[in-house]
Amino acid sequence: MYLDPDVSHAVKILIVGHFGVGKTTCIGALSEIEPLRTEEEITEASVGFDDLSGTPNKTTTTVAMDFGRLSLSESLVLYLFGTPGQERFKEMWEELSRGALGALVLVDPERLEESFPVLDLVERFGLTYAIGVNRFDGTADYPLEEVHEALNLSPDTPVVGCDVRDEESAGQALITLVEHLMTLLA
């Protein structure tokens, strides 16, 4: 990984979530560099492993990680690491979580039940997190308080709506995480 000698603070942030929730898209919207993507075509080998019912038009999947960079100032850079969403890749999460300051957990409000294993991993690795409720075309908007309650989150866990296809919206979700981290570190 390229580290700029003029940057005095680099922070590792994970972008996590279940399969098909928008992690790769989020990093693509936020990164100031061409993101590193490890996308591969979904093949017959995934039958029985990956549930495509919630994402019938999905043709590729992350098989290792995504990586992007976002400079917040001349001296502060966020390194964004996107994790694969499938259960079979959870061993990679442990490695990717090492040194991470926090995680933006993306959820699809139409598939909240798929978020519980992700939240379990984030908590197991001791990561501070915020929830980004991703908007998808053709789906209803859910009140954020209801999503917070349905996920059984602690009262101080921030939940923000976002559309990860939009740089400003994805950025606001990331800002929510960064502000949450700052309040805990102060």
Side-chain angles (χ1 to χ4, degrees), residues 50-132:
D50 299 332
D51 180 6
L52 298 175
S53 62
T55 55
N57 298 322
K58 188 165 177 58
T59 60
T60 62
T61 187
T62 301
V63 295
M65 68 174 192
D66 296 313
F67 172 78
R69 173 189 160 121
L70 181 61
S71 297
L72 297 182
S73 70
E74 288 184 22
S75 64
L76 178 60
V77 171
L78 299 182
Y79 291 110
L80 308 172
F81 289 81
T83 61
Q86 300 94 318
E87 179 75 17
R88 68 181 183 273
F89 293 119
K90 72 179 180 182
E91 288 77 24
M92 297 182 103
W93 281 53
E94 182 171 8
E95 201 58 42
L96 287 172
S97 69
R98 288 194 180 124
L101 191 57
L104 177 60
V105 180
L106 298 177
V107 301
D108 177 348
E110 304 257 326
R111 300 183 292 149
L112 283 181
E113 69 282 350
E114 295 177 40
S115 299
F116 290 106
V118 173
L119 290 170
D120 288 345
L121 283 174
V122 168
E123 290 174 356
R124 183 170 72 185
F125 297 130
L127 295 170
T128 299
Y129 61 94
I131 303 292

Side-chain angles (χ1 to χ4, degrees), residues 136-153:
F136 293 88
D137 292 337
T139 61
D141 280 337
Y142 292 87
L144 297 178
E145 302 80 29
E146 288 182 17
V147 173
H148 194 281
E149 185 177 329
L151 291 174
N152 195 30
L153 301 171

